[in-house]
Amino acid sequence: MSPELPFAHLRVLELASVLAGPQVGQFFAELGASVLKIESPAGDVTRSWKTTTETAAAAAQPAADASVSAYFAASNWGKESRVLDLTTPAGQASLHQLAATADLVLASYKPGDAEKLGADYATLSAKNPRLIYGHLTGYGPETARAGYDAVLQAEAGFMHLNAAGPGQPPQKMPVALVDLLAAHQLKEGLLTALFQREKTGRGALVQVSLLDSALASLANQAATYLVTGHDPQPMGSGHPSIVPYGTVYRAAHGRPLVLAVGSDGQFRQLCAALARPEWATDTRFQTNAARVRHREALEMLLTDRIAGMNGDALLADLERRTVPAGAVRSVGEALARPSAVGMLLPEAGGRGAGLRTVAFRSPQWSVVEELEAPPPLRGARPNETDQAPNAGD
C-alpha cells in the first residue's frame, strides 16, 4: 500500500462476521490498512446469503465461485482470508501469534464466547499492550443474547415508526440499518482509541452494542418523547415537524418525487414554481408551524397540483430555485448516475464491481483507487482465486 494512505501502517485482524464488523474492516482496508479476515472452517455465514437472482446466475455459470455472495461482497473488499479453527489449540496458537503484531482486532462474539476461543481482549492484549480490540455485541457485554438487525429494529422503535401510518403494519428498513449504525459507532470508538494510543502508547478495549447504536440514532424522535412525553407515531415518509418534507408525490408522466422544504423562503419558491404564489400568503401555510398544523390540507393541494405537472421540468425548476427536491430512484438508477461513480470500486478478479464504505475525501490524503483484492475466497490471500481453504496458519 502507498505510504500516503492514512492507515498504511496498520495491521487489522477481523474476527467479526456478517455485516457490522466486516464493514469496519473494509473501511480500514480502503484507507490503506492490511486486513486479515479470520474465518472458521464453515466460513462467514454471509457467503451463503444469496438472492434468487444470484442462485440462477450461478446455475448458468457453473465455473463461478460459490463462496462470494453479493451480501459478502458488500463488506469484504481489500482483505486477505485465512481459515482458523479456534476450537483447537493449534488454531488459538496461530491467532495469538497474529495478534501479537496486530494493531486492531474486530470481534463480534456473544459475551463469553471469545473467552472460550482464546480470542478475548484480556488474552490477546497480554502479549500486545498496544492492541486495540473492538467488540460488537447485540445488547452489551453483560447480556449473552445474540443480536440480529431485524430484531433490534423492532425493539429500538424503528419498525414502529417505519409504517405507512398509525395502525398500519410496522416494517423493517430494506438494509440492515442497525448493523450499519453500529459499524459507524465502532469506527468512531476505534479512531478515538488510536488517537489515545498516540498519547499513551497503550491499547484499549472498545465495546459497542447494536442496541445502544440504535437508540443513539433515534435522534429527534427520541427527543420528542423525552421532552414532551408524547410517543412519536408512524407517518409514512412524512416528517413530524416539517411540512412538506418526505411525502412522495407523482407527477403527470408518472415520475415520483419528494420535497424537503425546510424554510419559509423555500416554501415561497416552491409556490412560485408551482404557479401558486397565493399559497405562500395563505395564513394556513405562511410559516412551517402553520403548515404542520394544516398538513392534510396542504398535502392535498400539493398532490393535485404536482399530478398535473411534468416532474422532470418541475425538478429542474426547483433546483434553479434552490428548493430541495429529488426524484425517487431505484438502487440501479442511483448507482448508474454520474454522481455515484466515485463511490464504486472497479471489477477485480472477475468478481464484479463493489461499493466503497468510505464516503469522505480530503486533499491532504488519498484513498485506495483500486483495492488490491476483491472479496476473498475462503482462505485465499490477495490475487489467489483458486486456493483451497487452509485449516491452520
Side-chain angles (χ1 to χ4, degrees), residues 168-187:
Q168 297 300 306
Q171 296 189 59
K172 73 175 184 65
M173 293 291 291
V175 295
L177 176 67
V178 176
D179 276 7
L180 295 172
L181 294 172
H184 286 302
Q185 290 285 348
L186 183 57
K187 291 174 197 172

Side-chain angles (χ1 to χ4, degrees), residues 18 25 41 46 85 94 100 161 165 188 206 226 317 319 360 367:
V18 189
T46 64
D85 186 349
S94 295
L161 292 171
E188 293 166 10
V206 177
L226 295 171
D317 190 17
E319 183 174 352
F360 56 82
V367 295

Side-chain angles (χ1 to χ4, degrees), residues 143-338:
T143 304
R145 185 182 176 195
Y148 291 88
D149 180 89
V151 177
L152 267 300
Q153 287 195 39
E155 294 182 333
F158 283 87
M159 285 183 65
H160 168 73
L161 292 171
N162 192 34
Q168 297 300 306
Q171 296 189 59
K172 73 175 184 65
M173 293 291 291
V175 295
L177 176 67
V178 176
D179 276 7
L180 295 172
L181 294 172
H184 286 302
Q185 290 285 348
L186 183 57
K187 291 174 197 172
E188 293 166 10
L190 294 174
L191 293 175
T192 301
L194 284 167
F195 178 74
Q196 285 291 95
R197 192 176 72 173
E198 290 298 307
K199 297 190 295 182
T200 67
R202 297 190 302 273
L205 171 62
V206 177
Q207 298 170 312
V208 173
S209 77
L210 271 65
L211 178 60
D212 286 350
S213 301
L215 294 176
S217 302
L218 285 171
N220 59 299
Q221 299 286 12
T224 294
Y225 174 75
L226 295 171
V227 171
T228 70
H230 171 74
D231 203 348
Q233 296 301 305
M235 301 180 62
S237 62
H239 196 287
S241 54
I242 312 173
V243 179
Y245 195 106
T247 300
V248 178
Y249 306 98
R250 192 166 293 274
H253 67 313
R255 163 68 76 190
L257 57 90
V258 297
L259 305 172
V261 176
S263 72
D264 297 337
Q266 291 172 352
F267 182 70
R268 288 191 292 271
Q269 287 297 318
L270 169 64
C271 295
L274 297 175
R276 294 292 186 271
E278 66 275 14
W279 291 354
T281 58
D282 189 318
T283 55
R284 297 174 299 169
F285 312 137
Q286 276 184 316
T287 66
N288 180 67
R291 293 192 293 275
V292 170
R293 289 196 302 272
H294 300 282
R295 177 192 305 270
E296 186 175 349
L298 179 56
E299 293 286 24
M300 288 179 61
L301 291 172
L302 291 171
T303 297
D304 290 344
R305 178 56 181 150
I306 292 173
M309 301 185 71
N310 180 293
D312 292 331
L314 174 59
L315 287 172
D317 190 17
L318 292 175
E319 183 174 352
R320 285 192 294 271
R321 296 174 181 272
T322 67
V323 176
V328 178
R329 299 190 174 95
S330 70
V331 173
E333 289 172 335
L335 295 178
R337 289 179 63 79

